[in-house]
Amino acid sequence: MEHFNAASTQELEQALLACLRSLSWARRVADHRPYPDLDSLLAAADEAAYDLTWPDLTEALAAEPLPALPPDTYAAAHTALNAAHAAYEARFGHVFVICLDGVSPSETLDRLLEAIRSRLTNDPEEERAVTADELRRLARERLISTLRGAGNCAISH
């Protein structure tokens, strides 16, 4: 937490943007420093994510990669997943996001296909709420990884 709290605002915002590509979210989390502990930071990050508007979420979604499959996944699975992603994007107008924290690589494909198929039945408003929650969960997991030094948005000092 020391490095997080002591980082420059610009450095911290860049690191936070690698966790969730919303300038509003990154600024709000950075502006509320110092955080006494990880739980306080995660609570603030969650609260900031809950308060994001749809334009903020759209900004974040534009930078989200599609969930990746394990490298040894067979070609037909990639084809099925690409078709499911295309159907999702056609219905909702943005990429499909899901937090797969705790899902083993052997379960990734099944979980992705099941989630996309299930969420394709949502109405647009319901899917917006699910998408916002998945983005919040992704940001939380990325932030935890960052603070543990394992993430791609590491904060140095």
Side-chain angles (χ1 to χ4, degrees):
M1 290 307 307
E2 286 180 45
H3 293 297
F4 187 92
N5 287 326
S8 72
T9 300
Q10 182 180 11
E11 180 184 25
L12 186 57
E13 282 181 6
Q14 289 306 306
L16 289 167
L17 286 171
C19 297
L20 183 67
R21 199 70 157 156
S22 165
L23 192 54
S24 174
W25 177 83
R27 285 184 175 156
R28 184 164 169 191
V29 172
D31 288 349
H32 285 89
R33 289 182 294 166
Y35 294 100
D37 54 37
L38 178 60
D39 288 339
S40 298
L41 169 61
L42 294 176
D46 281 350
E47 183 179 330
Y50 286 128
D51 290 344
L52 292 175
T53 64
W54 185 246
D56 294 327
L57 293 169
T58 300
E59 173 189 27
L61 285 167
E64 280 296 317
L66 293 174
L69 291 176
D72 61 344
T73 304
Y74 53 95
H78 284 279
T79 301
L81 190 57
N82 287 339
H85 280 299
Y88 181 92
E89 286 187 43
R91 175 151 168 72
F92 297 111
H94 58 80
V95 298
F96 174 80
V97 292
I98 186 169
C99 182
L100 293 170
D101 183 54
V103 175
S104 71
S106 64
E107 297 173 353
T108 299
L109 175 62
D110 290 339
R111 180 69 69 86
L112 280 170
L113 287 172
E114 175 187 317
I116 290 175
R117 288 178 182 141
S118 171
R119 288 170 53 187
L120 276 167
T121 65
N122 290 347
D123 65 59
E125 286 303 311
E126 182 180 14
E127 185 55 24
R128 279 185 179 192
V130 172
T131 297
D133 193 53
E134 290 296 329
L135 281 171
R136 180 196 59 77
R137 291 179 60 217
L138 283 167
R140 177 183 250 277
E141 292 308 314
R142 290 170 182 161
L143 192 51
I144 290 168
S145 292
T146 295
L147 292 173
R148 292 187 177 144
N152 64 349
C153 49
I155 300 165
S156 61
H157 181 70

